[in-house]
Amino acid sequence: MTVWDDLVGQDRVQEQLAAAAKDADALVTAASGGEPLDQGSKMTHAWLFTGPPGSGRSTAARAFAAALQCTSPDRAMGGAPGCGFCDGCHTSLIGTHADVEVIRTDLLSIGVKETRDLVRRAQLSPAVGRWQIIVMEDADRLTEGAGNVLLKAVEEPAPRTVWMLCAPSLEDVLPTIRSRCRHLTLSTPPVEAVADVLIRRDGIDPERAHAAARATQGHIGRARRLATDERARARRAAVLKVPLRVADVGGCLKAAQELIDTSTEDARQLAEEVDAKETEDLKAALGAVAGGRMPRGTAGAMKELEDKQKRRKTRTQRDSLDLALTELTGFYRDVLALQLGSKLAIANTDVQDSLDRIAESSTPAQTLRRIESVIACREAMDRNVAPLLAVEAMTMALRAG
């Protein structure tokens, strides 16, 4: 097993990263021996991983980080870095390596304060590893101020620091930052490749694995959740019933409310799992006394945690709702394929009867307008329109066709 095994359907990207890791290994070896560094190396200090959701951007970045920290003795005999078994690879992949910082946010944005902390860390020399590595999984969530703070660090990096930024597209990152990064574009992996990973790595039943991979159209994370989480399958089934429930105004409004309620419930369930532990851990760290009373001067820290938890709940609710809208788009995409007689594979074969019914009772033009209404709803959410109003407008547009 190498560090690249989880990078599904990205052969070209894997080749580029493996070559860069090999050059990086040579650079460190040359530097430790007092030899001059090769300026024509395939290795560089800043990388930008882009690709659609589910393509494996963060997986590629973490695998690359592990390869850079690889300490396998086989390297001395010409072996490629990234064995997957040495201490450097293993700790990098599981998130415990002292010199690999993975930044993932469950909030709406990454602010200036957090970014300044990262920049300060990036100036340090590696503690135990070969490189100081910062992996930012949601670089598209940097505020403008945070992006300007990061720019300075990317412009003038420390000698052994590597930045790895992940974003859906180049346009989601400040032009000044992306111009200083090496770009790697990932594509959506094939459905068969995703199913194979679910079977081989997660031990999922082949039939369920193929169904989940097909339903999510190659999104690895969503496919795994759909295959392993009964609640996710129930929520998806409810979403795919919406096109049949918008026959009248009452049905539209009820369907909209249920979509909002479902996303709210997802956020509540996550909060129950995480918030209580976070609160208890902070209370213990601040020295809470018997009876739950907090020492003086700690109210500000508790208020900061509560505010963070509220922002995370909002983000979770929006992400859940956005996933529902994505599934609706996939439903109408299948309808359009049936109407046009396309040979494109149908993703939602488990609701074939509903697809056939909608396809026969509407025209391709109506289906396109319905897809546009779902997209418009997502855009309205990005502009902070009240979720219920945006979804109600969408369901009414689905009814009109």
Side-chain angles (χ1 to χ4, degrees), residues 48-78:
L48 178 56
F49 297 81
T50 61
S55 57
R57 300 184 301 260
S58 59
T59 300
R62 288 196 300 269
F64 186 34
L68 293 180
Q69 303 289 20
C70 182
T71 57
S72 169
D74 292 343
R75 295 176 297 106
M77 298 178 289

Short mmCIF file of all heavy atoms in Angstrom, two decimals, residues 48-78:
data_model
loop_
_atom_site.label_atom_id
_atom_site.label_comp_id
_atom_site.label_asym_id
_atom_site.label_seq_id
_atom_site.Cartn_x
_atom_site.Cartn_y
_atom_site.Cartn_z
N LEU A 48 -1.60 24.44 -5.65
CA LEU A 48 -3.04 24.69 -5.63
C LEU A 48 -3.75 23.53 -6.30
O LEU A 48 -3.59 23.30 -7.50
CB LEU A 48 -3.36 26.01 -6.35
CG LEU A 48 -4.85 26.39 -6.46
CD1 LEU A 48 -5.51 26.43 -5.08
CD2 LEU A 48 -5.00 27.73 -7.16
N PHE A 49 -4.50 22.76 -5.49
CA PHE A 49 -5.25 21.61 -5.97
C PHE A 49 -6.69 22.05 -6.25
O PHE A 49 -7.39 22.52 -5.35
CB PHE A 49 -5.27 20.50 -4.92
CG PHE A 49 -3.92 19.93 -4.60
CD1 PHE A 49 -3.07 20.58 -3.71
CD2 PHE A 49 -3.50 18.73 -5.16
CE1 PHE A 49 -1.83 20.05 -3.40
CE2 PHE A 49 -2.26 18.19 -4.85
CZ PHE A 49 -1.41 18.86 -3.98
N THR A 50 -7.14 21.92 -7.49
CA THR A 50 -8.51 22.29 -7.83
C THR A 50 -9.22 21.10 -8.48
O THR A 50 -8.58 20.20 -9.04
CB THR A 50 -8.55 23.49 -8.80
OG1 THR A 50 -7.87 23.14 -10.02
CG2 THR A 50 -7.89 24.71 -8.18
N GLY A 51 -10.53 21.13 -8.41
CA GLY A 51 -11.33 20.06 -9.00
C GLY A 51 -12.72 20.07 -8.41
O GLY A 51 -12.95 20.68 -7.35
N PRO A 52 -13.67 19.42 -9.05
CA PRO A 52 -15.05 19.41 -8.55
C PRO A 52 -15.16 18.70 -7.22
O PRO A 52 -14.27 17.91 -6.85
CB PRO A 52 -15.81 18.67 -9.66
CG PRO A 52 -14.76 17.83 -10.33
CD PRO A 52 -13.50 18.62 -10.27
N PRO A 53 -16.24 18.94 -6.47
CA PRO A 53 -16.43 18.25 -5.19
C PRO A 53 -16.37 16.74 -5.38
O PRO A 53 -16.94 16.19 -6.32
CB PRO A 53 -17.84 18.70 -4.76
CG PRO A 53 -18.02 20.03 -5.42
CD PRO A 53 -17.32 19.91 -6.74
N GLY A 54 -15.65 16.08 -4.49
CA GLY A 54 -15.54 14.63 -4.56
C GLY A 54 -14.40 14.12 -5.41
O GLY A 54 -14.18 12.91 -5.50
N SER A 55 -13.65 15.02 -6.04
CA SER A 55 -12.57 14.58 -6.91
C SER A 55 -11.35 14.13 -6.12
O SER A 55 -10.47 13.45 -6.66
CB SER A 55 -12.17 15.70 -7.88
OG SER A 55 -11.80 16.88 -7.18
N GLY A 56 -11.27 14.51 -4.84
CA GLY A 56 -10.16 14.06 -4.01
C GLY A 56 -9.05 15.09 -3.86
O GLY A 56 -7.89 14.72 -3.71
N ARG A 57 -9.41 16.37 -3.85
CA ARG A 57 -8.39 17.42 -3.71
C ARG A 57 -7.60 17.26 -2.42
O ARG A 57 -6.37 17.23 -2.43
CB ARG A 57 -9.06 18.80 -3.73
CG ARG A 57 -9.85 19.13 -4.98
CD ARG A 57 -10.37 20.56 -4.91
NE ARG A 57 -11.22 20.80 -3.76
CZ ARG A 57 -12.55 20.81 -3.80
NH1 ARG A 57 -13.17 20.58 -4.94
NH2 ARG A 57 -13.26 21.07 -2.72
N SER A 58 -8.30 17.18 -1.30
CA SER A 58 -7.60 17.09 -0.01
C SER A 58 -6.89 15.75 0.14
O SER A 58 -5.83 15.68 0.77
CB SER A 58 -8.59 17.31 1.14
OG SER A 58 -9.63 16.35 1.11
N THR A 59 -7.45 14.70 -0.45
CA THR A 59 -6.79 13.39 -0.41
C THR A 59 -5.45 13.45 -1.14
O THR A 59 -4.44 12.92 -0.66
CB THR A 59 -7.69 12.32 -1.05
OG1 THR A 59 -8.91 12.23 -0.33
CG2 THR A 59 -7.00 10.96 -1.05
N ALA A 60 -5.44 14.12 -2.30
CA ALA A 60 -4.19 14.27 -3.05
C ALA A 60 -3.18 15.08 -2.26
O ALA A 60 -1.98 14.74 -2.22
CB ALA A 60 -4.48 14.94 -4.39
N ALA A 61 -3.64 16.15 -1.61
CA ALA A 61 -2.72 16.99 -0.83
C ALA A 61 -2.13 16.23 0.34
O ALA A 61 -0.92 16.30 0.61
CB ALA A 61 -3.45 18.24 -0.35
N ARG A 62 -2.95 15.46 1.05
CA ARG A 62 -2.44 14.70 2.19
C ARG A 62 -1.49 13.60 1.74
O ARG A 62 -0.48 13.32 2.41
CB ARG A 62 -3.60 14.11 2.99
CG ARG A 62 -4.39 15.14 3.78
CD ARG A 62 -5.27 14.48 4.83
NE ARG A 62 -6.23 13.56 4.23
CZ ARG A 62 -7.44 13.89 3.84
NH1 ARG A 62 -7.84 15.16 3.97
NH2 ARG A 62 -8.26 13.01 3.32
N ALA A 63 -1.80 12.96 0.61
CA ALA A 63 -0.90 11.93 0.09
C ALA A 63 0.45 12.53 -0.29
O ALA A 63 1.51 11.94 -0.03
CB ALA A 63 -1.54 11.25 -1.12
N PHE A 64 0.41 13.71 -0.91
CA PHE A 64 1.65 14.40 -1.29
C PHE A 64 2.46 14.77 -0.04
O PHE A 64 3.69 14.62 0.01
CB PHE A 64 1.30 15.63 -2.11
CG PHE A 64 2.49 16.35 -2.69
CD1 PHE A 64 3.62 15.66 -3.12
CD2 PHE A 64 2.47 17.73 -2.82
CE1 PHE A 64 4.71 16.34 -3.65
CE2 PHE A 64 3.55 18.42 -3.36
CZ PHE A 64 4.68 17.71 -3.77
N ALA A 65 1.75 15.26 0.99
CA ALA A 65 2.42 15.61 2.25
C ALA A 65 3.12 14.38 2.84
O ALA A 65 4.26 14.46 3.32
CB ALA A 65 1.41 16.18 3.24
N ALA A 66 2.44 13.23 2.79
CA ALA A 66 3.04 12.00 3.31
C ALA A 66 4.27 11.61 2.51
O ALA A 66 5.29 11.19 3.07
CB ALA A 66 2.01 10.88 3.29
N ALA A 67 4.20 11.74 1.18
CA ALA A 67 5.35 11.39 0.35
C ALA A 67 6.53 12.30 0.64
O ALA A 67 7.69 11.86 0.62
CB ALA A 67 4.95 11.47 -1.13
N LEU A 68 6.27 13.57 0.91
CA LEU A 68 7.36 14.50 1.23
C LEU A 68 8.02 14.17 2.56
O LEU A 68 9.21 14.43 2.76
CB LEU A 68 6.83 15.94 1.27
CG LEU A 68 6.35 16.54 -0.05
CD1 LEU A 68 5.87 17.97 0.16
CD2 LEU A 68 7.45 16.52 -1.11
N GLN A 69 7.25 13.59 3.48
CA GLN A 69 7.79 13.25 4.80
C GLN A 69 8.30 11.82 4.87
O GLN A 69 8.74 11.37 5.93
CB GLN A 69 6.72 13.46 5.88
CG GLN A 69 6.12 14.85 5.95
CD GLN A 69 7.09 15.89 6.50
OE1 GLN A 69 8.29 15.70 6.52
NE2 GLN A 69 6.54 17.02 6.96
N CYS A 70 8.26 11.09 3.76
CA CYS A 70 8.62 9.67 3.75
C CYS A 70 10.07 9.47 4.19
O CYS A 70 10.98 10.16 3.73
CB CYS A 70 8.41 9.10 2.35
SG CYS A 70 8.77 7.32 2.23
N THR A 71 10.27 8.51 5.08
CA THR A 71 11.62 8.19 5.57
C THR A 71 12.01 6.75 5.26
O THR A 71 12.90 6.18 5.89
CB THR A 71 11.69 8.41 7.09
OG1 THR A 71 10.67 7.60 7.74
CG2 THR A 71 11.47 9.87 7.44
N SER A 72 11.36 6.14 4.29
CA SER A 72 11.65 4.75 3.94
C SER A 72 13.11 4.58 3.52
O SER A 72 13.62 5.37 2.72
CB SER A 72 10.73 4.30 2.81
OG SER A 72 11.16 3.05 2.28
N PRO A 73 13.77 3.57 4.00
CA PRO A 73 15.17 3.33 3.58
C PRO A 73 15.28 2.95 2.11
O PRO A 73 16.37 3.04 1.53
CB PRO A 73 15.61 2.18 4.49
CG PRO A 73 14.35 1.51 4.94
CD PRO A 73 13.33 2.60 5.03
N ASP A 74 14.20 2.55 1.49
CA ASP A 74 14.24 2.18 0.07
C ASP A 74 14.60 3.36 -0.81
O ASP A 74 15.04 3.18 -1.95
CB ASP A 74 12.89 1.61 -0.37
CG ASP A 74 12.58 0.26 0.28
OD1 ASP A 74 13.54 -0.35 0.79
OD2 ASP A 74 11.41 -0.13 0.30
N ARG A 75 14.39 4.60 -0.31
CA ARG A 75 14.71 5.77 -1.12
C ARG A 75 16.18 5.81 -1.50
O ARG A 75 16.55 6.26 -2.58
CB ARG A 75 14.35 7.05 -0.35
CG ARG A 75 12.86 7.22 -0.08
CD ARG A 75 12.59 8.46 0.78
NE ARG A 75 13.19 8.32 2.09
CZ ARG A 75 14.28 8.96 2.50
NH1 ARG A 75 14.89 9.81 1.69
NH2 ARG A 75 14.77 8.78 3.71
N ALA A 76 17.04 5.33 -0.58
CA ALA A 76 18.48 5.35 -0.84
C ALA A 76 18.87 4.42 -1.98
O ALA A 76 19.93 4.57 -2.58
CB ALA A 76 19.25 4.98 0.42
N MET A 77 17.99 3.47 -2.28
CA MET A 77 18.27 2.52 -3.36
C MET A 77 17.45 2.82 -4.60
O MET A 77 17.23 1.94 -5.44
CB MET A 77 18.00 1.09 -2.87
CG MET A 77 18.90 0.67 -1.70
SD MET A 77 18.55 -0.99 -1.07
CE MET A 77 16.97 -0.73 -0.26
N GLY A 78 16.97 4.05 -4.69
CA GLY A 78 16.22 4.46 -5.87
C GLY A 78 14.72 4.31 -5.76
O GLY A 78 14.00 4.55 -6.73
#
